[in-house]
Amino acid sequence: MNPNLLISEPPLQVLPSLAMQVGLNEAILLQQLHFRSLISNKEKDGHKWVVRTYPDWKEKEFPFWSVDTIKRAMRKLEKEGYVISTSTHNKMKMDKSKWYRVNYSKCYSPTGQNAPSNGAECTDGEGQDASCDQGKMHLAITKEIKSTKKYKVENDLDTVSEIINYLNGQAGKSFKETSKTSRRFINARLSEGYTVDQFKAVIDVKVKQWSNDAYWNAYLRPSTLFSPKNFENYLNENQQSNKQTVRADQPRAPQLDFGKGEEQWESN
């Protein structure tokens, strides 16, 4: 397989639930129209529009479809009310472009009734009323990624805080959870798959070894404990220490001195 056929360019996306509702081709087209509307600079009647001819849709958006396929999908969306289109905004009659926008009230109401609007209803060039509410449709890929990153950052901050607070409590330190350096080391190890419990294990073993040593106590810090060169080694030290503790706690068999004779059995 040619690796260039895998995702290395902005992908199209489609919600399965939308595809089940309107059809696969129609869902892809509707989602892309939504995305293009978000970045469009064509504004009329309080709405943002996407201006295309059918060949434009093929050339700029869907080169894998024929013009006829695009035309069928678009006409179905127009007929069912998901897309509002008009040519009244063209400056010249010979212009074959059409102005398209998503009818968001249709998309968000199962019965087709108008959804709550952020403002007054707007009327398009052909006399159709539609809500101005455009904030609920599935976000374009770029905005969805931004939202996901924000959620991840918030969770990472919680994890960083837990680890830093544990280190401060065990080692008697006062490192700040907002430190960019500390966050960088911790997030790097988290991205490698290490867990919070493993961070705590590293802290435990080094606090036990270094807390009473004036020289080494200074190295009870995130940049040392959680560095890529040290973290795995310290984690293994903790595991070895646990194994030794288990062995030390196990009852030992009596040590017999065969030179003492049978009296040792009575004493045991």
Side-chain angles (χ1 to χ4, degrees), residues 4 22 24 27 57 66-67 70 106 115 147 166 172 191 197 225 264:
N4 291 329
V22 300
L24 179 58
W57 282 113
S66 68
V67 170
I70 296 169
K106 173 73 174 180
S147 176
Y166 187 81
S191 68
D197 287 340
L225 299 177
Q264 64 180 316

Side-chain angles (χ1 to χ4, degrees), residues 173-243:
K173 304 288 185 177
S174 56
F175 293 108
K176 294 182 179 180
E177 57 197 53
T178 56
S179 166
K180 291 183 178 179
T181 301
S182 298
R183 287 166 54 186
R184 177 165 56 86
F185 280 107
I186 292 173
N187 285 328
R189 304 290 79 75
L190 289 171
S191 68
E192 292 171 357
Y194 291 106
T195 65
V196 173
D197 287 340
Q198 288 175 313
F199 278 88
K200 292 180 178 180
V202 167
I203 293 169
D204 288 342
V205 71
K206 301 319 287 186
V207 166
K208 183 177 180 180
Q209 295 173 358
W210 293 350
S211 60
N212 295 322
D213 187 298
Y215 175 81
W216 288 106
N217 186 280
Y219 290 96
L220 290 172
R221 59 193 184 194
S223 59
T224 299
L225 299 177
F226 311 141
S227 74
K229 293 193 298 183
N230 297 335
F231 189 84
E232 186 175 11
N233 290 333
Y234 294 162
L235 185 59
N236 285 327
E237 285 182 23
N238 176 274
Q239 294 171 348
Q240 291 299 321
S241 176
N242 289 340
K243 289 179 181 179

Side-chain angles (χ1 to χ4, degrees), residues 11 21 54-55 63-64 103 108 128-129 136 147 164 177-178 181-182 185 193 233 240 256 259:
Q21 183 174 334
Y54 288 121
F64 45 85
N103 184 0
Y108 303 130
Q128 292 175 287
D129 289 339
K136 300 177 184 176
S147 176
I164 291 296
E177 57 197 53
T178 56
T181 301
S182 298
F185 280 107
N233 290 333
Q240 291 299 321
L256 300 180

Side-chain angles (χ1 to χ4, degrees), residues 13 35 139-147:
Q13 64 169 357
F35 169 64
L139 296 176
I141 187 72
T142 51
K143 291 185 178 290
E144 182 176 295
I145 290 173
K146 184 183 293 185
S147 176

Side-chain angles (χ1 to χ4, degrees), residues 110-127:
T111 62
Q113 298 174 349
N114 283 350
S117 172
N118 289 336
E121 286 189 340
C122 305
T123 304
D124 77 302
E126 296 180 343

Side-chain angles (χ1 to χ4, degrees), residues 12-14 23-32 62 65:
L12 296 172
Q13 64 169 357
V14 61
L24 179 58
N25 290 355
E26 290 78 10
I28 294 172
L29 198 158
L30 187 60
Q31 181 64 54
Q32 193 65 6
F62 311 112
W65 282 342

Side-chain angles (χ1 to χ4, degrees), residues 44-45 47 49 84-89 101 122-128:
K44 292 284 186 180
D45 304 324
H47 298 283
W49 300 78
I84 295 172
S85 64
T86 182
S87 58
T88 59
H89 299 314
R101 67 178 176 86
C122 305
T123 304
D124 77 302
E126 296 180 343
Q128 292 175 287

